[in-house]
Amino acid sequence: TIIILFALVGYLLLRYDGLLTDRQRTEEELRKSEGRYRSLTDDVLDSSDVGIFILDVDFKVVWINRAVEHYFGLDREQVLGKDKRQLIRENIKDIFEDGEGFADKVLSTYDNNTYVENFECHVLPGDGREERWLEHWSQPIKSGLYAGGRIEQYTDITDRKQAEEALQTAHQRNETIISTSMDGFYITHPDGNIFDCNAAFCEMVGYSRDELLGMKITALETVECYEETAQHIQQVIEKGSDRFETAHCHKDGSIVDLEISVTLVETSDESFFVCFARDITETKKLWQELNQQLLRDALTGVYNRRYFNETIIQEIKRADRYKHHISFIMGDVDGLKAINDNFGHLMGDQILQGVAHVLQNSMRAADMVVRYGGDEFLVVMPETPEDEAQQAVSRIEQNLADWLDEQVEIGVLHSDILAQVGFSVGVASCRPGEEVAIEDVLTQADEAMYQVKQAKRQSPAQSR
């Protein structure tokens, strides 16, 4: 009996040890499975476009995904473990347009630990962030590892907001069209035939209403050819509306610049275009004149330094892209102060105008002549190595000497001026592949010019 009892106890112990091992193995498999599931879940959430915060019961950040880092400009390692309430007040609120309002809305949910209805917030650009609109919502976590905490999500609704703004813009545009009905007004069929118009449009193009009715809009159009107009009409049919600038031919042959607003109207019976036209001829002329004044030197008519500063970067980039040289000729009018003192500033202005005229006539159409300073001129020569620029210098000097002699012969300039006026020139060049700042190249040209000027002072016979 004792042997049987010992045998039975041994069997039960072995059986219990086997059961325990099986249970441990099962629990280990469950832990591995849970780890794989959690890793997969983290990967999926981390690749989501929806920004996600997970907070524990103390409102400390236990997890964020990459979208949060991108939207908010935060670093995950620096954020984890921090109190979200403190983060909002010290870091996050400053990136929103209404930072205080945003902070108050979020913090009020923490006080009540309640579900939050969606609200929109506007992220301002800066520190690597893009301007965007986000939709925020938050709710308590009811169960699981972070039960008692909160989950917050931020969905990017920028495209939706832009669409809403576009619709609002279209609505405002239509309101503007209605309020400016005193502008030219006409209606056309999709084939371009005009079947209604007002007196203002008749006055713009010089035709009577009877003459315009039945006329195709292509008979007035001067910017687009017939095929381009037909294609434009098709685009308006697809888009529903358009606003563009064009030009119509007046009955007397003159050209009228117009701004056209066109809207496609579709009824159960027909489709047609409602068009409003505004005469912008004078406006365009004024803008062109103003643009020229902004880009040209008022005295000499060549480009000014502002234009040079705005265009030189593109010229450098183009030279780098196509592996071309670009050369600079820096020139200074010698003796201008003496001419101003002895013959008056009007004579000095004549000299400057003459030098600018000679420079323009001596250079190619692709070259840029700039009045760089009071008596300094700069010539930019794209696709030109330094030796060719030196050849251009010789041409400039000869043309300037010929011009001065001619002005003396016809009595415009006094012969005494020839002994005082001159033009000193220096050349520098950017070679393909050289990473040289434009300021350094201009300094080289300037230094070369002053070396020439100094040599002339030491040898007065070479003043011209």
Side-chain angles (χ1 to χ4, degrees):
T1 300
I2 291 173
I3 292 172
I4 292 173
L5 286 174
F6 272 109
L8 181 59
V9 170
Y11 171 76
L12 291 175
L13 288 173
L14 290 173
R15 181 63 177 165
Y16 176 76
D17 183 62
L19 289 173
L20 186 62
T21 302
D22 289 342
R23 179 178 178 182
Q24 289 174 339
R25 187 180 299 111
T26 301
E27 289 177 348
E28 180 64 24
E29 289 297 326
L30 284 173
R31 280 194 297 270
K32 290 180 179 179
S33 177
E34 181 182 3
R36 287 192 296 269
Y37 173 76
R38 187 179 300 279
S39 176
L40 177 62
T41 302
D42 286 351
D43 290 342
V44 171
L45 294 179
D46 212 21
S47 62
S48 172
D49 291 335
V50 177
I52 301 174
F53 275 98
I54 296 180
L55 312 179
D56 63 15
V57 293
D58 296 320
F59 302 104
K60 291 183 177 179
V61 179
V62 296
W63 191 81
I64 63 172
N65 66 352
R66 283 197 295 264
V68 167
E69 293 182 291
H70 179 62
Y71 294 158
F72 289 56
L74 298 175
D75 182 88
R76 184 181 310 193
E77 297 302 323
Q78 295 177 355
V79 169
L80 294 180
K82 290 193 175 181
D83 192 315
K84 178 72 184 306
R85 295 167 296 188
Q86 183 179 358
L87 278 174
I88 289 174
R89 284 300 185 196
E90 294 182 358
N91 302 91
I92 296 179
K93 74 176 181 63
D94 294 332
I95 74 171
F96 289 97
E97 183 177 28
D98 180 18
E100 293 296 337
F102 166 80
D104 291 341
K105 286 180 181 178
V106 176
L107 293 177
S108 66
T109 66
Y110 295 169
D111 294 337
N112 300 322
N113 201 29
T114 57
Y115 175 81
V116 179
E117 295 293 338
N118 295 0
F119 64 84
E120 298 175 355
C121 42
H122 186 197
V123 177
L124 301 174
D127 296 333
R129 299 184 309 273
E130 299 176 1
E131 180 181 7
R132 65 179 71 247
W133 282 89
L134 300 176
E135 187 175 55
H136 166 279
W137 71 265
S138 171
Q139 70 178 25
I141 300 174
K142 301 296 186 181
S143 61
L145 180 62
Y146 304 115
R150 295 191 72 81
I151 182 170
E152 297 178 350
Q153 295 189 8
Y154 293 86
T155 305
D156 189 346
I157 57 170
T158 305
D159 290 343
R160 189 186 82 192
K161 292 292 292 186
Q162 290 176 343
E164 291 174 353
E165 290 174 1
L167 288 174
Q168 180 65 22
T169 300
H171 175 72
Q172 293 173 352
R173 182 183 63 214
N174 293 336
E175 290 293 325
T176 302
I177 291 173
I178 294 172
S179 66
T180 57
S181 59
M182 293 302 293
D183 288 339
F185 166 82
Y186 61 97
I187 302 176
T188 71
H189 289 298
D191 62 3
N193 278 327
I194 301 171
F195 69 90
D196 196 10
C197 62
N198 67 353
F201 185 68
C202 294
E203 184 177 354
M204 283 180 185
V205 296
Y207 291 92
S208 68
R209 187 174 186 276
D210 291 338
E211 290 175 316
L212 286 172
L213 296 184
M215 184 186 291
K216 284 186 177 293
I217 197 66
T218 50
L220 301 173
E221 178 66 33
T222 64
V223 174
E224 298 176 339
C225 66
Y226 181 85
E227 291 77 12
E228 290 172 332
T229 300
Q231 185 179 6
H232 197 169
I233 289 174
Q234 185 60 39
Q235 291 173 350
V236 175
I237 291 175
E238 295 172 359
K239 292 168 54 180
S241 65
D242 196 9
R243 189 169 189 154
F244 58 96
E245 292 184 6
T246 188
H248 285 355
C249 183
H250 194 276
K251 189 177 181 180
D252 64 8
S254 61
I255 302 299
V256 183
D257 292 308
L258 298 173
E259 182 184 64
I260 305 294
S261 297
V262 55
T263 302
L264 174 66
V265 178
E266 296 182 288
T267 68
S268 57
D269 300 325
E270 62 177 343
S271 298
F272 53 89
F273 297 108
V274 175
C275 307
F276 290 85
R278 176 172 296 175
D279 188 342
I280 59 172
T281 305
E282 290 301 319
T283 302
K284 289 197 71 173
K285 183 179 178 181
L286 289 172
W287 273 111
Q288 290 170 355
E289 292 176 355
L290 179 59
N291 190 51
Q292 287 299 310
Q293 292 175 7
L294 291 174
L295 302 180
R296 297 277 183 176
D297 176 57
L299 176 64
T300 62
V302 299
Y303 289 115
N304 57 24
R305 192 162 181 172
R306 174 178 178 176
Y307 179 79
F308 169 77
N309 291 336
E310 290 178 354
T311 57
I312 189 58
I313 299 302
Q314 295 304 318
E315 285 293 340
I316 294 294
K317 289 181 178 179
R318 192 168 71 89
D320 287 341
R321 183 163 60 250
Y322 296 108
K323 308 302 181 185
H324 290 154
H325 289 77
I326 179 170
S327 291
F328 300 87
I329 300 175
M330 184 75 77
D332 181 88
V333 179
D334 301 324
L336 186 64
K337 183 178 184 305
I339 293 172
N340 287 333
D341 293 341
N342 297 327
F343 300 95
H345 285 275
L346 289 179
M347 183 60 67
D349 289 347
Q350 271 188 283
I351 296 296
L352 288 172
Q353 290 169 338
V355 171
H357 177 73
V358 169
L359 287 173
Q360 286 184 305
N361 290 340
S362 302
M363 308 311 297
R364 306 166 303 181
D367 299 329
M368 183 197 311
V369 179
V370 180
R371 187 179 179 191
Y372 199 67
D375 56 1
E376 282 189 332
F377 291 87
L378 175 66
V379 180
V380 182
M381 302 184 68
E383 302 180 25
T384 306
E386 189 169 341
D387 58 342
E388 293 183 16
Q390 291 288 359
Q391 296 174 14
V393 168
S394 299
R395 186 168 62 249
I396 291 170
E397 291 174 340
Q398 183 60 53
N399 291 345
L400 181 59
D402 293 343
W403 177 80
L404 288 170
D405 290 338
E406 178 186 351
Q407 298 302 301
V408 172
E409 288 178 6
I410 63 177
V412 174
L413 296 180
H414 194 279
S415 59
D416 292 344
I417 292 177
L418 294 179
Q420 300 183 39
V421 71
F423 194 59
S424 299
V425 179
V427 177
S429 179
C430 290
R431 299 173 181 82
E434 280 188 338
E435 295 184 359
V436 181
I438 182 63
E439 295 83 3
D440 295 337
V441 180
L442 294 178
T443 299
Q444 293 174 16
D446 198 53
E447 290 174 350
M449 177 190 70
Y450 275 101
Q451 288 177 5
V452 172
K453 186 181 289 289
Q454 187 65 29
K456 287 181 178 181
R457 289 171 181 168
Q458 296 172 356
S459 182
Q462 301 178 0
S463 60
R464 281 178 58 192

